[in-house]
Amino acid sequence: MADARLHRSAAALRRAGAVVEVHGLGDGTQGPPGCRVTTAPHTGKVGRLLRALTWPFRAEGDVLVTIDPDTSPAALLAARLRRRRWVADVHEDYAALLEDRAWVPRPLLKVLQVAVGAMNALIGCADLVLVADEHVPPRQARNRQVMRNEPDFSLLPSLVQAVDGSPWRAVYIGDNRTSRGLRTMLEAVAATAGDPEPWQLDLVGPVSESDREWFERRLAEPDCALVTAHGRRDPQTSWEIAAGADVGLCLLENTPAFAEAMPSKVYEYLACGMPTVATPLPRVVELLHRTGAGVVVDSAAETTATLRRFTTDAPWRADLREAAREAGEVARTRRNTYDEAAKRILALR
């Protein structure tokens, strides 16, 4: 329910005059504002399968939008039987993402990737396929539009930057797991615990089951006293927490799923005028080098060194903030990709 892309899409549809009904998992209070929200608790694989088979038939409305690839077979059938339009919103390259998941048995990886390929073929039959980036499958679809994970400024705070004199604070918003930099962020900030000016870290988002035991144990240690885990929050609350932070962190590993990615949080950090500390994913490197609004690091040690320089090198810090402010002002003049997608969705009716 707290998925940022879902909130942005729902907001754009409502701005276009649509009534939006959302079926999803988790806390209904974190669902998109102004929408009719129906939720179910997180359950096991059988419960997930049943929802994938039944929810497309429960949804009302002229257009069915799905964001979970598991729902594709039922969505295609429901659209044909009930004469509705089907829009598939594909967030990631799911076949590549399987290589990043600890729960996937290695002998079954290829089998599961073949299954995802078959699912992508079904998704290609949708009346409209929205993909988060150019490289995201399905590449072949009869009606395909790239709807990148760019900021929706109606869900972000005003461009107000941090100022010197308050505790130094880094923020990360998103799923927390090893491949997304969870351990790197904690170790980098923990290393500053004994410094004259230590760093705080706000982590906003759920922690993966595979990392939870390590995370809770590490969080209880003294050098992580300034790390705060906020858990899953809706986008508006997430950015209220982030507002005023000195830097945004995006320390994703260079896995097959992330190698070609442009994480939305980098756009959002810069849109808020927040310098970004990121690992060297090619498209992130290009953006930060072009704008001068961030630093590229390759380890926890380099991240710690960057945080320490930020506290001690005032001219360098001022340059980063100014570049981030300029990048944020430019970003806020761009077209809204979600409004464009909403127009195409409503044109299907």
Side-chain angles (χ1 to χ4, degrees), residues 81-213:
L81 291 178
R82 303 180 73 176
R83 296 185 179 180
R84 291 178 179 168
R85 299 296 188 176
W86 171 34
V87 177
D89 184 1
V90 187
H91 291 200
E92 298 182 272
D93 182 345
Y94 294 108
L97 198 65
L98 288 171
E99 300 188 32
D100 176 42
R101 295 297 184 257
W103 58 265
V104 176
R106 294 300 97 180
L108 292 180
L109 177 59
K110 293 298 182 183
V111 174
L112 292 173
Q113 288 178 328
V114 169
V116 169
M119 205 74 73
N120 283 333
L122 283 179
I123 290 171
C125 298
D127 298 287
L128 173 62
V129 178
L130 301 172
V131 293
D133 214 328
E134 200 64 60
H135 71 278
V136 174
R139 300 289 184 92
Q140 302 300 320
R142 61 181 182 177
N143 189 10
R144 182 177 185 268
Q145 176 180 341
V146 176
M147 185 175 78
R148 289 189 172 85
N149 284 326
E150 297 174 354
D152 180 342
F153 299 110
S154 68
L155 304 178
L156 294 178
S158 301
L159 201 162
V160 178
Q161 295 181 292
V163 294
D164 292 350
S166 56
W168 303 106
R169 187 163 68 95
V171 67
Y172 169 84
I173 297 177
D175 289 342
N176 286 282
R177 62 177 65 245
T178 296
S179 63
R180 291 180 179 267
L182 174 62
R183 301 190 185 212
T184 304
M185 290 186 287
L186 251 68
E187 298 305 339
V189 169
T192 72
D195 292 358
E197 296 183 86
W199 278 78
Q200 299 177 3
L201 172 62
D202 285 294
L203 297 172
V204 185
V207 177
S208 71
E209 288 301 321
S210 59
D211 288 297
R212 185 173 299 280
E213 182 180 349

Side-chain angles (χ1 to χ4, degrees), residues 118-327:
M119 205 74 73
N120 283 333
L122 283 179
I123 290 171
C125 298
D127 298 287
L128 173 62
V129 178
L130 301 172
V131 293
D133 214 328
E134 200 64 60
H135 71 278
V136 174
R139 300 289 184 92
Q140 302 300 320
R142 61 181 182 177
N143 189 10
R144 182 177 185 268
Q145 176 180 341
V146 176
M147 185 175 78
R148 289 189 172 85
N149 284 326
E150 297 174 354
D152 180 342
F153 299 110
S154 68
L155 304 178
L156 294 178
S158 301
L159 201 162
V160 178
Q161 295 181 292
V163 294
D164 292 350
S166 56
W168 303 106
R169 187 163 68 95
V171 67
Y172 169 84
I173 297 177
D175 289 342
N176 286 282
R177 62 177 65 245
T178 296
S179 63
R180 291 180 179 267
L182 174 62
R183 301 190 185 212
T184 304
M185 290 186 287
L186 251 68
E187 298 305 339
V189 169
T192 72
D195 292 358
E197 296 183 86
W199 278 78
Q200 299 177 3
L201 172 62
D202 285 294
L203 297 172
V204 185
V207 177
S208 71
E209 288 301 321
S210 59
D211 288 297
R212 185 173 299 280
E213 182 180 349
W214 173 87
F215 178 71
E216 291 178 351
R217 184 177 65 251
R218 191 70 183 86
L219 206 61
E221 296 176 5
D223 59 352
C224 288
L226 295 182
V227 177
T228 302
H230 297 271
R232 190 187 297 273
R233 294 289 188 271
D234 63 83
Q236 182 175 347
T237 304
S238 297
W239 288 103
E240 287 173 357
I241 294 169
D246 292 279
V247 300
L249 300 179
C250 182
L251 305 182
L252 278 63
E253 295 180 359
N254 194 359
T255 68
F258 301 146
E260 297 183 70
M262 183 64 214
S264 60
K265 60 181 62 60
V266 176
Y267 288 127
E268 290 168 318
Y269 293 153
L270 296 187
C272 292
M274 195 183 302
T276 300
V277 179
T279 41
L281 301 183
R283 294 174 65 187
V284 176
V285 169
E286 190 279 329
L287 176 64
L288 295 185
H289 283 177
R290 174 164 49 83
T291 61
V295 182
V296 176
V297 297
D298 205 18
S299 65
E302 287 186 16
T303 305
T304 301
T306 297
L307 296 177
R308 285 173 171 157
R309 183 181 179 188
F310 196 93
T311 64
T312 58
D313 190 337
W316 182 70
R317 180 171 68 245
D319 288 344
L320 281 174
R321 283 177 172 165
E322 177 61 18
R325 185 191 61 77
E326 291 179 0

Side-chain angles (χ1 to χ4, degrees), residues 12-13 16 128 338-348:
L13 286 167
L128 173 62
Y338 306 99
D339 286 333
E340 292 185 0
K343 291 178 183 178
R344 291 190 63 173
I345 291 172
L346 296 186
L348 295 172

